[in-house]
Amino acid sequence: MITQSIQDYLKVIYKLAVNRKQVNTNAIAERLGVTQASVTSMLKKLSELNLIEYKPYYGVELTGGGEKIALEIIRHHRLLELYLAEALGYSWDQVHEEAEKLEHHISEEFEDRMAAVLGDPDFDPHGAPIPSKDGVMQERYLVSLASVGAGARVQVKQVSDHNAELLRYLGKMGIYPEVEIDVLEKAPFGGPLHIRIAGREHHLGESLTNQIWVTPQPARDEPEATS
Amino acid sequence: MITQSIQDYLKVIYKLAVNRKQVNTNAIAERLGVTQASVTSMLKKLSELNLIEYKPYYGVELTGGGEKIALEIIRHHRLLELYLAEALGYSWDQVHEEAEKLEHHISEEFEDRMAAVLGDPDFDPHGAPIPSKDGVMQERYLVSLASVGAGARVQVKQVSDHNAELLRYLGKMGIYPEVEIDVLEKAPFGGPLHIRIAGREHHLGESLTNQIWVTPQPARDEPEATS
DNA sequence: ACTATTTTTTAGATATATCTAATTATTTAT
DNA sequence: ATAAATAATTAGATATATCTAAAAAATAGT
């Protein structure tokens, strides 16, 4: 039986693997809030179930089966987030916590009906791509707002969904997916970024701009590709 | 921590207590599909948590706290059933199974928002009353269709929600809450009941009519109460 | 009232996922 | 290259909810 715990491990491993190449015990333990010892014993189990490729002291890789389960759960999570926002009027800082619990307990029927009501959406309220039923994601090439230089105009595409307080703060400033931002000034040594958005100006620290993902190129004044 | 298991035990105890007066180990075990030994050990635990009054070899009664949790779960279940039917287009034979899982995992926020979308409903799709947030239920005095004599016209008010096949069969005959039934003939010794509903006639066995609950008095030709 | 049957409880085992503490392996720094 | 630091694993314990098999208590039948 695939327990909730197994699903959580696979989801975290998937997400870590997207960034780094080698996923280590440490990182999994930290993300899940359990001890390293717990992770080790669970990795053994996942390996026996053929959900991961596990080489002790090296790292972990999902097998086809493991990735399938991870993507199913991520699809559940992101569909739920959008459904809670659209159909039940949740604010975008509330949806993550609720989806985190429900993602493990909804049926395929529920998943399908939500998707139908929402018109088979591609992105959740924070701009994260929703994997399709057969495990394909609309991947995009985005950069963190922290890496953008002064003078650029970029478009917000995605924000981190973990921290409710952060989301409320972004909401107050009007920073949502699809909104355009002018980067006015960039303080040296990772200092605050001075931006303008919908006519209002703000200074944002690095721990904030690290969690905002934008289009890599300026959204305007870019020459069209010529054949 | 109140586990899912504890919630299930309290729900079953509540439902058994509504019918019989004394709730025994046997009945709980049967309803939950576990052994009597498991029930005994769980009853001890529930007693320690002050959720039930437990006298070994006698029976079990819910305390105020236990009843509160039971009613919360029943509210979740019935609100979910109605929400799945109304908002997501589930048929009435599908809602029970999904609600049975989700009832343990939705937040109070989710509960409140469903209730708001549905306009604070009093009954679920099978006609079962939905407890209010402070634990009050719209109780009605109903009788089983099996107990109704020939010649009566009664109104369906509630049907059992457990058996999906039964529900599909009832649906096919048009037997839903609020529909009126004429009882034409009653075979002796618990034989089939001959009924007419919306112009069509059917013969129903006792195991079926036992699961249909109707108004105790004839729904028409009843004198208005005079002051 | 005593025996037989049914019901309930106890005793002891299992499975899952977690923990702490101690050990072993790997990596980093001088 | 060896010591120090970091990371991962093992061993053994805990907690929860379940099970089977056996014993004890309550109920029913003659």
Side-chain angles (χ1 to χ4, degrees):
Chain A
M1 191 218 168
I2 305 277
T3 63
Q4 168 164 161
S5 222
I6 289 176
Q7 296 178 347
D8 283 331
Y9 274 88
L10 294 175
K11 189 173 74 164
V12 161
I13 293 167
Y14 180 90
K15 287 187 172 182
L16 287 171
V18 168
N19 306 336
R20 347 187 166 191
K21 206 70 245 169
Q22 208 198 213
V23 178
N24 58 0
T25 312
N26 212 359
I28 298 172
E30 202 173 302
R31 282 274 201 129
L32 288 172
V34 297
T35 61
Q36 291 187 322
S38 302
V39 174
T40 298
S41 76
M42 187 57 119
L43 292 184
K44 259 189 234 158
K45 187 186 173 175
L46 293 175
S47 190
E48 273 160 30
L49 292 170
N50 286 310
L51 297 172
I52 61 172
E53 210 83 61
Y54 173 49
K55 270 177 77 178
Y57 290 104
Y58 278 86
V60 157
E61 233 179 303
L62 292 178
T63 63
E67 184 174 305
K68 185 157 169 278
I69 293 174
L71 283 167
E72 268 171 27
I73 294 299
I74 292 170
R75 175 170 166 81
H76 285 186
H77 183 94
R78 293 181 182 169
L79 271 176
L80 276 162
E81 285 196 345
L82 190 64
Y83 186 82
L84 293 170
E86 297 286 312
L88 287 170
Y90 277 66
S91 59
W92 80 337
D93 58 295
Q94 294 177 304
V95 296
H96 176 73
E97 199 189 351
E98 188 90 48
E100 195 72 10
K101 284 179 300 172
L102 292 180
E103 63 187 12
H104 305 292
H105 305 290
I106 63 173
S107 67
E108 195 152 334
E109 183 78 33
F110 195 100
E111 171 193 328
D112 292 347
R113 289 187 184 265
M114 276 194 303
V117 165
L118 296 168
D120 276 313
D122 289 321
F123 300 98
D124 80 9
H126 313 101
I130 300 173
S132 72
K133 227 171 139 60
D134 44 319
V136 181
M137 260 205 264
Q138 292 281 106
E139 287 296 356
R140 297 165 299 175
Y141 299 94
L142 304 178
V143 299
S144 123
L145 180 56
S147 73
V148 172
R153 158 171 284 198
V154 292
Q155 196 179 14
V156 176
K157 284 293 182 185
Q158 184 172 348
V159 302
S160 162
D161 70 341
H162 266 65
N163 188 328
E165 201 185 326
L166 171 88
L167 286 171
R168 283 193 292 275
Y169 185 56
L170 293 178
K172 235 187 295 181
M173 291 188 291
I175 298 182
Y176 290 105
E178 312 311 327
V179 158
E180 297 206 330
I181 290 182
D182 286 307
V183 178
L184 303 177
E185 211 181 334
K186 187 171 188 175
F189 307 115
L193 199 69
H194 185 184
I195 65 164
R196 180 167 50 223
I197 176 164
R200 281 153 63 211
E201 297 185 13
H202 305 277
H203 296 264
L204 309 181
E206 203 177 19
S207 63
L208 218 158
T209 52
N210 267 327
Q211 318 230 48
I212 300 170
W213 300 84
V214 299
T215 47
Q217 289 90 15
R220 69 163 182 200
D221 296 343
E222 199 189 19
E224 291 285 310
T226 53
S227 58
Chain B
M1 193 220 168
I2 304 278
T3 65
Q4 167 164 165
S5 220
I6 289 176
Q7 296 179 346
D8 283 330
Y9 273 87
L10 293 175
K11 190 174 72 162
V12 162
I13 292 167
Y14 180 90
K15 286 185 173 185
L16 288 171
V18 168
N19 307 333
R20 346 187 168 193
K21 207 67 243 168
Q22 210 199 210
V23 179
N24 60 357
T25 314
N26 213 358
I28 298 170
E30 203 173 300
R31 284 273 202 128
L32 288 172
V34 298
T35 61
Q36 292 186 322
S38 302
V39 174
T40 298
S41 77
M42 188 56 120
L43 292 184
K44 259 189 235 157
K45 188 187 172 174
L46 293 176
S47 189
E48 273 160 30
L49 292 170
N50 286 311
L51 297 173
I52 61 171
E53 209 82 58
Y54 174 46
K55 269 178 79 182
Y57 289 103
Y58 277 86
V60 157
E61 234 180 302
L62 292 178
T63 62
E67 184 174 305
K68 183 156 171 277
I69 294 173
L71 284 167
E72 266 171 28
I73 294 299
I74 292 170
R75 176 171 167 82
H76 285 186
H77 182 93
R78 295 183 179 166
L79 271 177
L80 277 163
E81 285 198 345
L82 190 64
Y83 186 82
L84 294 170
E86 298 285 313
L88 286 169
Y90 276 65
S91 59
W92 79 337
D93 59 294
Q94 294 176 306
V95 296
H96 176 73
E97 200 189 351
E98 188 91 48
E100 196 71 11
K101 283 179 301 174
L102 293 181
E103 63 187 13
H104 305 292
H105 306 290
I106 62 172
S107 67
E108 194 151 336
E109 184 79 31
F110 195 99
E111 173 193 325
D112 293 346
R113 289 187 183 264
M114 277 195 301
V117 166
L118 295 168
D120 276 312
D122 289 321
F123 300 98
D124 78 11
H126 312 101
I130 300 173
S132 72
K133 227 170 140 60
D134 44 321
V136 181
M137 260 207 265
Q138 291 281 106
E139 287 298 355
R140 297 165 300 176
Y141 300 95
L142 304 178
V143 299
S144 123
L145 180 54
S147 74
V148 172
R153 160 171 282 195
V154 293
Q155 197 180 15
V156 176
K157 283 295 182 184
Q158 185 171 348
V159 302
S160 161
D161 71 341
H162 266 64
N163 187 328
E165 202 184 324
L166 173 88
L167 287 170
R168 284 193 293 274
Y169 185 55
L170 291 179
K172 236 188 294 179
M173 291 190 290
I175 297 182
Y176 291 106
E178 312 310 327
V179 158
E180 295 207 333
I181 291 182
D182 286 308
V183 179
L184 303 175
E185 212 180 333
K186 186 172 190 174
F189 308 115
L193 199 69
H194 185 186
I195 64 161
R196 181 167 50 225
I197 177 165
R200 283 154 62 210
E201 295 184 13
H202 305 278
H203 295 266
L204 308 182
E206 204 178 21
S207 64
L208 219 159
T209 51
N210 266 328
Q211 317 230 50
I212 301 170
W213 299 83
V214 299
T215 47
Q217 288 91 14
R220 71 166 181 195
D221 296 343
E222 201 189 15
E224 292 284 311
T226 53
S227 58

